[in-house]
Amino acid sequence: MLIQIESNKKTGPIVGIDLGTTNSLVAIVEGGKPRVLKSSDGKSLIPSVVSFADEKQPVVGLEAKRNKVADAQHTVFSVKRLLGCGFEDLKPILESLPYTLVQDPEAGLVKIQIGDRAYTAIEISALILREVKKRAEEALGCSVTRAVITVPAYFNDSQRQATRTAGRLAGLDVLRIVNEPTAASLAYGLDKKRQGLIAVYDLGGGTFDVSILKLQDGIFEVLATRGDTQLGGDDLDQTMVRVAAQEILQSFGLDIYAEVHIHSSLLESAESVKIALSTQAEAVLELKLDTRIYRRVWTQAEFEALARPILERTREPCLSALKDAGLQASDLSDVVLVGGPSRLKIVQEIARSIFGKAPNTSVHPDEVVAEGAAIQADILAGNNQDLLLLDVVPLSLGLETYGGLMATLIHRNTRIPTVAREVFTTFVENQTGVDIHVFQGERDRVDENRSLARFKLRGIQPAPAGIPRVEVTFLIDADGILQVAAKDLKTGQEQSVEVRPSHGLTDSEVEKMLASGLENVKADEIYKNLVEARNKAEPVIRAVEKNWDQAKLLLAPDELEEVRDKLDILRQVMQGQKVEAILDATSDLNRSTVRLAELLIRDSLKEMR
Ligand code: ADP
Ligand code: MG
């Protein structure tokens, strides 16, 4: 007889997660069909917002989004725009973010300052993913530890690594990183069993992506992908905010950029106006400024005039993607629109003018990416053998050679996974080490591309310049994540090298965070007990309050005094964090009201007779 001690069978479902700039969603495939998991009150979107009103216990999602105005200084949104980016990358958008960014020069990281703590974008993203994981666990009634997460196709290596690290910090084993438009096309193609060439035009809150795909016999092949990591619906809000800021400065002499609260609530009002204009001809923007009120009517035409030049920025990436794929717009059988802003008429109109055909708006613009992620998860779980996803590298990868020139090893739009090897030599006599500096981008000069990582290969045998042979290998895995290795062919010795993402976290930093995450779990438990204690206390307080007038009639003065004392004590300890104190004060109040309860019951019985 055998007794099973441990099962190595991985249990639990693999979920698909759309970790959006603005909203995140989680989905699963059931009975061959993707389904977005909803909260108990039927909501599918989880706003990608984290609020630190209580620094120990941040809130995430809808509740946090409400704090965007009320507690702007402690509330972080659009963090995906910062993920895997350095300070230089972020200069163009610094002004538009109401929270404070600080530079950690040692780690090369940008951090978000909240009170006296600074958080990396990875940590904030991990908090969002933790909420997503919780949503899935509540909806499915089991623990969820494995996921597929989507990223914009245009995300570079640092941004992909950062996403993966965030998943790990949230307790998720990230089995695959998938490009968002690819995921969208999976859901679109699965549902419709379509064939042919399609463009996926995805305009989200902060990123724009376009991909050209070939769908044939269940194979989804990405032919080309382009995009803009700093373009989205947020920018439409920003232009309206700029107009309002100027008008407010003129009429009221108030600089809203200097007023965090007003700036935040203006942003929120501008977004509401934009959303309203997707279904109405006009909408009113109203903003309370201390005692005065700023009010302005926006017509659709006015809004479109402002939005058009911003949305026109999607044209160039679309045309380039078509060119990369060697196609004309007329070759496409369908243009699929994805993302919240694609509900705007002006967006549909611009997509039509770019591709010369009416776009398809049949997919659910918010849910289609998460659904596609779930389908990919289902494929990885071995359940769907009919589909195959072939993704590509969004940007060329290479290294710096003499004179600051880029030697490209892997070209843009190469299918992944892939490997490339090239041999380099030294430039200086008796050189014993070489600097390997890895870049990503399309320009000939490395200083116009993006630095990804650098390391040194040492121990090269001294030899005249040009003699040593150094073989560099670039390996891209199925997630689009790059590993670089270098080997001295003369000695045959391969050096182990650590490629550190330029704007990510090292393994040891992640370990440290994971360890402190365990402390957080403890803190979570304490918090849970606190909430439970408060939940016990609240109905008791409410009952006393409700019957207070009766109590004044029914109780003797000293009895009344006693109840009032106990009530005051409980109210006071409720302000604090001491679980025991709350439980004790609740029992005390309960005990002091026993006689009152008896009298109340007697009274009500009397009334019934
Ligand atoms: P992301 O993928 O970046 O998380 P979403 O696809 O959820 O973003 O889109 C979020 C953006 O969509 C926000 O800028 C939001 O204001 C905008 N949005 C949502 N609904 C509408 C609508 N009906 N009309 C216009 N914009 C909308
Ligand atoms: Mg999206």
Side-chain angles (χ1 to χ4, degrees):
M1 192 179 74
L2 288 173
I3 298 171
Q4 186 170 24
I5 297 171
E6 202 178 298
S7 162
N8 65 0
K9 197 172 138 237
K10 290 235 167 115
T11 51
I14 311 175
V15 295
I17 297 174
D18 171 7
L19 178 63
T21 311
T22 324
N23 298 300
S24 297
L25 296 94
V26 54
I28 187 161
V29 168
E30 269 170 358
K33 271 200 159 34
R35 174 169 77 93
V36 168
L37 300 175
K38 298 192 172 162
S39 63
S40 52
D41 51 356
K43 297 218 163 53
S44 58
L45 300 180
I46 300 169
S48 305
V49 185
V50 180
S51 180
F52 293 86
D54 172 352
E55 285 185 23
K56 282 182 217 72
Q57 203 60 41
V59 293
V60 182
L62 210 57
E63 201 184 331
K65 191 178 175 184
R66 282 190 203 112
N67 290 346
K68 245 169 101 171
V69 175
D71 194 10
Q73 274 128 321
H74 296 105
T75 306
V76 186
F77 60 92
S78 286
V79 74
K80 190 172 165 183
R81 296 187 113 170
L82 315 183
L83 207 58
C85 289
F87 210 73
E88 284 298 313
D89 303 320
L90 295 173
K91 275 201 176 137
I93 61 160
L94 279 185
E95 185 207 327
S96 65
L97 297 171
Y99 43 85
T100 312
L101 296 184
V102 290
Q103 199 171 4
D104 180 344
E106 206 177 304
L109 281 174
V110 173
K111 292 188 170 177
I112 300 144
Q113 190 73 40
I114 302 285
D116 53 12
R117 245 203 89 173
Y119 297 85
T120 61
I122 297 178
E123 288 169 279
I124 305 278
S125 303
L127 289 171
I128 297 168
L129 285 171
R130 219 159 64 163
E131 187 71 18
V132 171
K133 178 176 187 278
K134 201 170 104 196
R135 156 77 57 90
E137 288 175 339
E138 277 166 10
L140 296 170
C142 64
S143 121
V144 170
T145 56
R146 295 182 298 161
V148 168
I149 303 181
T150 59
V151 297
Y154 220 61
F155 253 25
N156 64 39
D157 193 69
S158 314
Q159 292 167 308
R160 280 165 204 266
Q161 297 226 30
T163 304
R164 171 162 271 233
T165 309
R168 205 169 144 216
L169 284 176
L172 288 169
D173 188 3
V174 183
L175 299 187
R176 186 66 55 89
I177 301 273
V178 183
N179 291 334
E180 284 160 15
T182 313
S185 78
L186 260 182
Y188 159 87
L190 181 85
D191 200 29
K192 312 285 181 335
K193 298 258 180 299
R194 298 200 203 227
Q195 310 271 341
L197 297 160
I198 66 160
V200 176
Y201 179 107
D202 179 357
L203 188 63
T207 50
F208 170 66
D209 269 280
V210 57
S211 294
I212 311 290
L213 296 105
K214 188 169 155 193
L215 277 58
Q216 195 172 25
D217 304 326
I219 297 178
F220 293 72
E221 185 178 2
V222 180
L223 301 179
T225 172
R226 288 275 184 153
D228 188 335
T229 52
Q230 309 288 356
L231 174 64
D234 293 354
D235 297 298
L236 304 178
D237 309 343
Q238 295 288 354
T239 63
M240 280 193 281
V241 166
R242 272 195 287 274
V243 170
Q246 208 163 22
E247 290 177 356
I248 290 169
L249 189 64
Q250 254 161 22
S251 315
F252 303 100
L254 185 76
D255 174 11
I256 63 116
Y257 290 109
E259 311 279 335
V260 177
H261 273 74
I262 298 179
H263 184 189
S264 265
S265 76
L266 178 55
L267 259 173
E268 187 137 313
S269 311
E271 185 187 10
S272 312
V273 167
K274 173 189 69 179
I275 290 174
L277 289 174
S278 71
T279 53
Q280 289 159 215
E282 49 177 64
V284 180
L285 194 160
E286 212 169 62
L287 185 69
K288 251 187 88 188
L289 313 161
D290 43 65
T291 56
R292 296 160 296 183
I293 287 184
Y294 165 78
R295 187 172 188 281
R296 187 190 206 279
V297 179
W298 279 91
T299 65
Q300 218 168 49
E302 254 181 311
F303 169 72
E304 290 183 353
L306 267 189
R308 190 179 299 276
I310 296 168
L311 297 171
E312 271 296 335
R313 284 167 51 201
T314 62
R315 184 181 296 271
E316 197 277 320
C318 292
L319 299 180
S320 304
L322 278 171
K323 195 161 157 240
D324 289 350
L327 296 172
Q328 308 272 325
S330 56
D331 297 328
L332 299 174
S333 48
D334 219 346
V335 177
V336 182
L337 294 194
V338 180
S342 69
R343 292 196 188 84
L344 290 167
K345 268 204 233 74
I346 176 86
V347 173
Q348 295 168 13
E349 183 197 311
I350 283 175
R352 176 204 294 258
S353 105
I354 294 171
F355 294 103
K357 63 164 57 70
N360 177 318
T361 49
S362 69
V363 299
H364 194 305
D366 296 327
E367 298 187 352
V368 68
V369 171
E371 287 177 356
I375 295 167
Q376 175 64 24
D378 196 44
I379 296 172
L380 290 177
N383 294 333
N384 196 335
Q385 310 283 1
D386 309 334
L387 296 175
L388 181 65
L389 199 60
L390 301 172
D391 234 324
V392 296
V393 184
L395 294 166
S396 300
L397 294 157
L399 42 86
E400 178 178 7
T401 55
Y402 178 64
L405 294 181
M406 169 100 166
T408 299
L409 270 84
I410 296 178
H411 287 274
R412 190 176 73 231
N413 291 331
T414 304
R415 195 180 287 170
I416 54 172
T418 186
V419 65
R421 277 195 191 90
E422 233 163 271
V423 177
F424 296 86
T425 188
T426 52
F427 168 68
V428 179
E429 298 288 311
N430 296 325
Q431 195 174 327
T432 56
V434 284
D435 247 333
I436 310 270
H437 197 170
V438 183
F439 283 88
Q440 184 167 38
E442 310 311 316
R443 311 295 288 266
D444 293 334
R445 297 187 48 83
V446 289
D447 53 9
E448 289 168 341
N449 290 330
R450 156 181 258 279
S451 159
L452 281 185
R454 70 191 305 166
F455 60 88
K456 221 178 175 85
L457 176 69
R458 290 177 215 279
I460 295 174
Q461 270 187 5
I467 294 297
R469 293 277 175 271
V470 177
E471 183 187 66
V472 178
T473 306
F474 278 34
L475 176 86
I476 302 186
D477 65 14
D479 298 326
I481 289 174
L482 172 72
Q483 277 173 294
V484 179
K487 186 172 164 185
D488 179 357
L489 290 180
K490 180 83 188 301
T491 58
Q493 213 181 342
E494 189 158 10
Q495 297 261 343
S496 66
V497 287
E498 182 194 339
V499 182
R500 181 201 158 125
S502 298
H503 303 296
L505 301 168
T506 58
D507 276 353
S508 62
E509 282 165 332
V510 172
E511 292 307 327
K512 219 159 67 191
M513 285 179 177
L514 282 172
S516 77
L518 292 179
E519 279 159 30
N520 277 341
V521 171
K522 257 184 261 153
D524 285 355
E525 241 162 61
I526 294 169
Y527 183 74
K528 205 172 120 220
N529 293 338
L530 182 64
V531 169
E532 275 169 11
R534 284 179 180 160
N535 286 348
K536 262 189 210 146
E538 257 158 21
V540 182
I541 295 177
R542 265 199 309 272
V544 176
E545 284 169 348
K546 190 171 144 234
N547 293 302
W548 189 246
D549 286 342
Q550 291 277 79
K552 281 195 280 195
L553 296 175
L554 295 171
L555 292 180
D558 58 331
E559 288 172 324
L560 191 67
E561 193 63 26
E562 163 95 13
V563 175
R564 189 205 301 269
D565 270 0
K566 300 295 179 210
L567 180 64
D568 283 347
I569 291 172
L570 180 56
R571 278 183 180 146
Q572 210 169 8
V573 293
M574 282 279 276
Q575 309 283 331
Q577 312 258 337
K578 295 207 176 78
V579 176
E580 285 301 310
I582 296 173
L583 291 175
D584 288 350
T586 308
S587 323
D588 285 353
L589 179 61
N590 255 331
R591 227 171 291 129
S592 75
T593 56
V594 170
R595 208 175 116 69
L596 174 63
E598 280 169 11
L599 294 172
L600 284 169
I601 291 169
R602 200 178 305 160
D603 258 20
S604 59
L605 286 177
K606 239 187 262 164
E607 264 168 40
M608 280 164 71
R609 266 186 225 128

